[in-house]
Amino acid sequence: MTLSGKIQENAVFIEFLAGSGLAILFHLVLHKPDAAYSIFGIGILLALGTYLLREDLERTRRGLIEQYHHAHEITFAMARISEPECFLKAQDLLAGTIRTITQLQQGCIPLLETEFYMEGAKCADFVIKKILAVDPMTSGWNSRGALVNFYQANLRAVKRGVEISRIFIMNRDELSHPDVQKVLLCQLHDGISVRIAFRDELPAGNGMGSRDATSSYDFAIFDGHTAAEVLPQLGTYFGCKTSDAYNVEKLQRMYDLIAHSAHIIVEEHGEITVASTEALKAAA
């Protein structure tokens, strides 16, 4: 330890000795006991004050150093990578981590595919009033395990009296496909309010960006408080869950726009068709 370091470590004792020495000088040499007592008291207070101040500064210094190392931990780790190929791989991993953190900053929890449908099933089990959903017409509603479990949670919600409105996005020529008919008939018979929206009739703009660029058209809103959406871009994560008010409101507006373009369907002779104007008038 250097001399200055030793002085700083023993500063309180040095200050105490200096104050005591001055007090002794005034008392024994100058014969001024009142001044000696005052100097001794003030010296003690100054030593105590400077000691507490130094301790506070030291705690602050240690905290700042700890925060600095924590904030630059990744930078220091990157600097210790000497192999160029390993460094490039580390940069790719860091870029993916930053994208994930950005999603978290926006109030979205990124999820893998199985996690996504599991969280959707949990939300469906806790929902009280209604579920609004938009789904692309894809195979798997009756076969893929994660999707089947999610749909079973939907059915449990229907039995509790929850209103589920689902809009399927499809191409016009898909409506007559047997698998599509099977999915639509099954959900309609299970008590789910089903409509369809054709891709060529979707709104050209959604208020947040261009078509298909900002939405996968695959999401669900639970009681207007929580939402789950499949991410439009392929990547590490399949979808995300959010309870952020802005994100939920954005998906609610998207649902309203799609619902405005959606068609009511009816079952005629065991086959799903788009309801005609005459049928709608008769139903009204």
Side-chain angles (χ1 to χ4, degrees), residues 111-158:
L111 302 166
L112 300 175
E113 183 174 6
T114 303
E115 294 174 331
F116 177 82
Y117 288 116
M118 182 179 67
E119 288 296 326
K122 288 181 179 179
C123 291
D125 283 333
F126 286 103
V127 76
I128 298 175
K129 295 181 179 179
K130 63 180 179 179
I131 300 174
L132 304 177
V134 173
D135 293 277
M137 178 54 73
T138 56
S139 59
W141 279 94
N142 302 317
S143 59
R144 289 169 56 195
L147 198 51
V148 169
N149 291 334
F150 170 69
Y151 186 62
Q152 290 298 321
N154 280 210
L155 296 183
R156 291 193 295 270
V158 170

Side-chain angles (χ1 to χ4, degrees), residues 25-51:
L25 175 66
F26 272 79
H27 191 279
L28 298 179
V29 178
L30 301 178
H31 304 290
K32 293 184 177 180
D34 293 339
Y37 295 141
S38 299
I39 291 173
F40 181 75
I42 293 173
I44 291 293
L45 292 176
L46 287 175
L48 178 61
T50 55
Y51 169 76

Side-chain angles (χ1 to χ4, degrees), residues 125-198:
D125 283 333
F126 286 103
V127 76
I128 298 175
K129 295 181 179 179
K130 63 180 179 179
I131 300 174
L132 304 177
V134 173
D135 293 277
M137 178 54 73
T138 56
S139 59
W141 279 94
N142 302 317
S143 59
R144 289 169 56 195
L147 198 51
V148 169
N149 291 334
F150 170 69
Y151 186 62
Q152 290 298 321
N154 280 210
L155 296 183
R156 291 193 295 270
V158 170
K159 289 181 180 180
R160 298 197 313 270
V162 174
E163 176 189 350
I164 301 181
S165 299
R166 174 166 285 117
I167 302 174
F168 280 107
I169 307 295
M170 66 178 71
N171 297 321
R172 290 180 180 274
D173 57 355
E174 291 181 302
L175 181 58
S176 59
H177 196 279
D179 289 342
V180 173
Q181 288 284 321
K182 184 177 180 181
V183 170
L184 294 175
L185 282 169
C186 177
Q187 300 215 10
L188 203 62
H189 291 166
D190 286 336
I192 296 176
S193 175
V194 181
R195 286 181 288 173
I196 60 175
F198 297 120

